[in-house]
């Protein structure tokens, strides 16, 4: 019998900065053991270049990512739904875990302002992985 991987959805209005960084870290640090999604209610045309640069400094290339529209299906298919302090609301389904991470908005900021946001997200992702993937 195969166990289903836990799944996490990161939601932010534009799906261009915080939610993309969180998804990139979770994909990288969980080594494929967690299914990762990100989306927004009003996706931007492209990912925030300062967020891409800040992540590249930490060895993660997210330059090919594109902002995606939030769907009810994405929420339904996720075990954990995390909003990024952006006031975006998600459909609520029973049995899901919902969290809101209060994070500064990197929109319009340079890479110097994005680095501390990136580091905060990375620390939160490491805690999330420890909760979702307990040692065997």
């Amino acid at each position: 019998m195969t166990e289903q991987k836990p799944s996490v959805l990161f939601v932010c209005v534009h799906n261009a900065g915080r939610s993309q960084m969180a998804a990139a870290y979770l994909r990288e640090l969980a080594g494929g053991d967690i299914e990762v999604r990100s989306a927004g209610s009003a996706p931007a045309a492209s990912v925030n270049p300062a967020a891409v640069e800040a992540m590249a400094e930490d060895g993660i290339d997210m330059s090919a990512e594109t902002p995606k529209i939030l769907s009810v299906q994405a929420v339904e298919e996720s075990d954990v739904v995390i909003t990024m302090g952006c006031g975006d609301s998600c459909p609520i389904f029973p049995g899901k875990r919902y969290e809101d991470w209060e994070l500064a908005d990197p929109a319009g900021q340079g890479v110097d302002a994005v680095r501390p946001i990136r580091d905060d997200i990375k620390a939160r992702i490491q805690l999330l992985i420890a909760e979702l993937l307990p040692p065997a």
Side-chain angles (χ1 to χ4, degrees):
M1 184 175 132
T2 59
E3 262 195 52
Q4 193 177 352
K5 289 195 264 191
S7 58
V8 177
L9 169 64
F10 296 102
V11 179
C12 202
V13 176
H14 301 300
N15 187 224
R18 294 167 286 193
S19 53
Q20 290 283 355
M21 290 190 286
Y25 269 131
L26 187 55
R27 251 183 238 107
E28 181 75 19
L29 299 175
D33 291 337
I34 297 173
E35 198 174 318
V36 182
R37 300 178 182 89
S38 73
S41 56
S46 61
V47 175
N48 179 331
V52 171
E53 184 180 341
M55 292 299 285
E57 290 175 355
D58 203 20
I60 297 176
D61 178 9
M62 58 178 226
S63 60
E65 296 298 326
T66 53
K68 293 168 237 13
I69 187 77
L70 177 62
S71 69
V72 170
Q73 182 180 0
V75 178
E76 271 185 310
E77 293 175 353
S78 301
D79 300 312
V80 181
V81 179
I82 299 174
T83 53
M84 312 301 287
C86 44
D88 224 1
S89 60
C90 300
I92 302 291
F93 293 98
K96 307 280 178 212
R97 172 175 154 190
Y98 293 88
E99 289 185 28
D100 183 53
W101 291 358
E102 285 294 330
L103 296 161
D105 188 351
Q109 306 282 338
V111 72
D112 290 340
V114 175
R115 283 185 194 109
I117 301 167
R118 172 202 66 198
D119 295 345
D120 186 2
I121 290 170
K122 184 176 186 177
R124 291 168 187 255
I125 292 296
Q126 290 167 325
L127 288 171
L128 181 66
I129 292 169
E131 292 169 9
L132 294 179
L133 299 176

